[in-house]
Amino acid sequence: MKSIDLFVNNWGSKHTMSPIDNQDIVELETKLNTDLPESYKYLITTYGLVHTPNVLTRICDLGVDISEVQDFLSLEDVFSLSKLYEMGGMPKGHILFASDCKGNMFCFKLSDCENKQKDVPVWFYNHGLCTIEKAADSFSEWLEQFNALENN
């Protein structure tokens, strides 16, 4: 989980983050009727909800063409916003977990989460266009693209 630790160290705001209790995650998984990826659960149980306001600045400074992450959603928002965005036009079968600063969302596909996976692909939902595209082949790889910005 080195990429996750490095991501939080590089990009997490200095606000105090509170790790999320495993029981709360189990309750969410029950409501969603699926298992969230172990890599994502490691992030939120170890660190909590990460806020990354400096990612956008760095992406703009470098002129890199990747979608920035700004906030990881609370577990209540993971459930409620996933349903709300579906009602607003997002294809069904996605679990939102983080947002950028423009209302776009990062998510996992429910079908990818069916069998207790360590890591699954991350998808990007463009709210304005109502399109969804793969952002990375895994959660860890998705975080690595932000970690790479620190080396530029």
Side-chain angles (χ1 to χ4, degrees):
M1 304 292 173
K2 183 180 172 189
S3 61
I4 295 170
D5 299 329
L6 186 58
F7 174 80
V8 173
N9 185 55
N10 286 342
W11 300 108
S13 70
K14 302 307 175 206
H15 294 104
T16 303
M17 295 177 281
S18 300
I20 294 177
D21 187 84
N22 275 319
Q23 185 55 41
D24 294 333
I25 296 170
V26 169
E27 288 175 23
L28 175 62
E29 289 176 322
T30 300
K31 284 168 59 174
L32 294 169
N33 196 29
T34 197
D35 295 302
L36 295 167
E38 294 300 319
S39 54
Y40 169 70
K41 291 193 284 191
Y42 172 82
L43 171 76
I44 62 176
T45 58
T46 305
Y47 298 103
L49 304 175
V50 183
H51 175 66
T52 60
N54 296 326
V55 170
L56 177 59
T57 303
R58 187 73 173 154
I59 287 172
C60 291
D61 288 349
L62 296 173
V64 179
D65 187 26
I66 60 174
S67 297
E68 91 286 350
V69 62
Q70 184 161 323
D71 289 297
F72 284 79
L73 304 176
S74 70
L75 297 188
E76 295 82 18
D77 284 348
V78 166
F79 184 76
S80 63
L81 289 178
S82 293
K83 300 299 178 199
L84 185 64
Y85 270 63
E86 277 185 0
M87 292 182 343
M90 182 179 77
K92 291 186 183 285
H94 294 87
I95 304 165
L96 305 178
F97 68 86
S99 65
D100 67 7
C101 64
K102 297 173 273 210
N104 301 311
M105 295 289 179
F106 295 94
C107 53
F108 304 119
K109 278 190 176 180
L110 273 169
S111 59
D112 291 336
C113 297
E114 289 175 344
N115 301 319
K116 287 198 182 227
Q117 300 293 319
K118 180 178 179 180
D119 218 342
V120 298
V122 171
W123 299 83
F124 178 72
Y125 175 66
N126 183 312
H127 183 260
L129 300 175
C130 291
T131 59
I132 195 156
E133 62 185 49
K134 189 184 277 188
D137 289 331
S138 70
F139 183 71
S140 298
E141 183 182 300
W142 178 67
L143 295 177
E144 273 301 323
Q145 69 181 341
F146 300 111
N147 291 339
L149 298 174
E150 270 300 292
N151 299 325
N152 288 326

